[in-house]
Amino acid sequence: MRAMRAEGFSGYKDLKLVDIPKPALSDGRVLVRITAAGVTPLDHTILSGGYPRAKAPLVLGGEGAGVVEEGGGTAFPVGSRVMFTGPCGVSENGTYSEWLAVRKENLCLVPDNIDDVSAAGIPVAYLTAQMTLSLAGFAKGKTALSPAIGGSVGNAVTQLARAEGAKHAISTTTNHAKAEHARSLGFDEVIDLSVEKLSDGVRRITEGYGADIVIDAIGGEILSEALGTLAIGGSLTTLGYSAGRKATIDVTDLIWKRASMRSFSLFSQTVEVWSAAWSLIIPLLQSGAVKPIVAKTFPLSEAADALRYLVEGRPFGRVVITI
């Protein structure tokens, strides 16, 4: 089968189109014919040598969608459309390939109204968004802030919070064109950081109250700025670092507001937490209350270009590889 494999971890040039054996089915696995693969910042981190646990050669791709060919039983019959994420593309071969033997517990049926390309970009972002909101104690009437409306997690948090009854579902962008694009899509609480400070924007939108919950997938200085927007008793969850691995915080933003700060890792969560998150996400996808946004697709042979576009082009929406 065809696969885009990292022969080393020193950049785009190490991603090669290769012919490797089709995976064999084993206990607890379901053979899936991959139709689309989501492209994530972690793929780039691995390809750039920034993830020591990954070992080359490795087929990249941590999430995807496809069709069950064998081993799904009654839960995932042959021909079922599924989406998934898991350790694939990190500790084992991933979704930049034509077939994959996926752990059964990582699979979720794709709603009929969601196409495969959109489905491929759902698992990581929406599971992360729902789990972090739930762990932070989100409830109807609360205010949530998740920077970077064009990014996968920022967009997913904003959509889910809004669909689940947030008083305010706030996000940001540093690009004026993206701010206009976001508003055209109905995201009317996006702070344009090219013309307004984050703290000023949150103060304006919430009339001085602040954010009950911040979900930050960006890191860097945006984390310290977002921390300062918390309401009394608020919480900030940090889970990404595309804007930088280091940040300087003002501890009084925590102390005076009796606030809290935590980290999050998707793959450290239990099967029960995953199931609970899917049970909330799927009905919202089916109803159209949340709608995945795809910026651009690339064929498998252009996986390196897809990664470059994600990291350097900073698109509004997901980048997806079609198989």
Side-chain angles (χ1 to χ4, degrees):
M1 69 173 185
R2 296 182 309 141
M4 285 298 287
R5 187 171 69 182
E7 302 299 305
F9 295 145
S10 59
Y12 300 118
K13 63 180 177 59
D14 283 338
L15 200 56
K16 306 291 186 182
L17 185 64
V18 296
D19 189 12
I20 61 176
K22 183 178 177 180
L25 197 61
S26 59
D27 288 345
R29 300 265 182 164
V30 177
L31 185 62
V32 177
R33 176 173 58 81
I34 306 299
T35 54
V39 180
T40 70
L42 180 57
D43 299 340
H44 181 265
T45 299
I46 292 170
L47 188 60
S48 304
Y51 200 87
R53 289 165 53 192
K55 305 298 180 185
L58 178 70
V59 177
L60 297 183
E63 65 179 348
V67 179
V68 172
E69 286 206 347
E70 189 180 355
T74 57
F76 303 101
V78 172
S80 298
R81 297 169 58 239
V82 292
M83 54 187 171
F84 61 91
T85 183
C88 52
V90 180
S91 59
E92 58 189 60
N93 282 340
T95 57
Y96 292 12
S97 58
E98 293 181 307
W99 280 274
L100 196 64
V102 184
R103 287 176 169 85
K104 196 169 186 177
E105 64 268 22
N106 292 148
L107 294 174
C108 180
L109 294 171
V110 178
D112 290 340
N113 62 317
I114 303 295
D115 62 80
D116 285 13
V117 168
S118 297
I122 288 174
V124 170
Y126 283 86
L127 285 171
T128 296
Q130 185 59 60
M131 289 180 195
T132 52
L133 283 169
S134 296
L135 290 169
F138 177 81
K140 185 177 180 180
K142 289 199 172 187
T143 289
L145 163 67
S146 190
I149 191 63
S152 59
V153 173
N155 193 274
V157 170
T158 303
Q159 288 204 47
L160 286 169
R162 184 172 63 180
E164 294 171 19
K167 183 174 183 179
H168 299 288
I170 306 169
S171 191
T172 70
T173 180
T174 57
N175 183 296
H176 184 67
K178 280 187 182 179
E180 292 298 314
H181 183 44
R183 293 186 186 106
S184 73
L185 295 174
F187 299 104
D188 54 4
E189 294 184 321
V190 173
I191 300 166
D192 182 352
L193 298 179
S194 69
V195 298
E196 185 178 29
K197 285 185 177 181
L198 178 57
S199 57
D200 292 340
V202 172
R203 190 179 302 112
R204 170 180 56 79
I205 292 169
T206 66
E207 298 181 335
Y209 176 81
D212 296 301
I213 295 168
V214 172
I215 308 297
D216 171 46
I218 304 301
E221 286 309 304
I222 197 75
L223 183 151
S224 58
E225 294 172 21
L227 190 65
T229 71
L230 286 175
I232 300 297
S235 70
L236 181 146
T237 301
T238 177
L239 57 96
Y241 41 83
S242 59
R245 297 187 179 210
K246 295 184 179 181
T248 301
I249 69 170
D250 183 340
V251 294
T252 63
D253 287 331
L254 293 171
I255 297 169
W256 293 349
K257 294 178 180 177
R258 304 186 296 281
S260 62
M261 187 174 177
R262 71 173 77 195
S263 62
F264 175 82
S265 172
L266 176 61
F267 301 113
S268 67
Q269 307 305 310
T270 65
V271 172
E272 291 75 20
V273 171
W274 279 54
S275 296
W278 276 130
S279 72
L280 293 169
I281 295 165
I282 295 300
L284 296 175
L285 290 169
Q286 291 171 325
S287 70
V290 299
K291 298 178 180 179
I293 298 171
V294 175
K296 192 172 182 179
T297 64
F298 291 79
L300 180 62
S301 60
E302 296 176 14
D305 293 332
L307 270 173
R308 191 190 303 273
Y309 179 67
L310 174 70
V311 173
E312 300 176 16
R314 301 179 65 187
F316 193 116
R318 297 306 311 274
V319 177
V320 176
I321 293 170
T322 55
I323 313 298

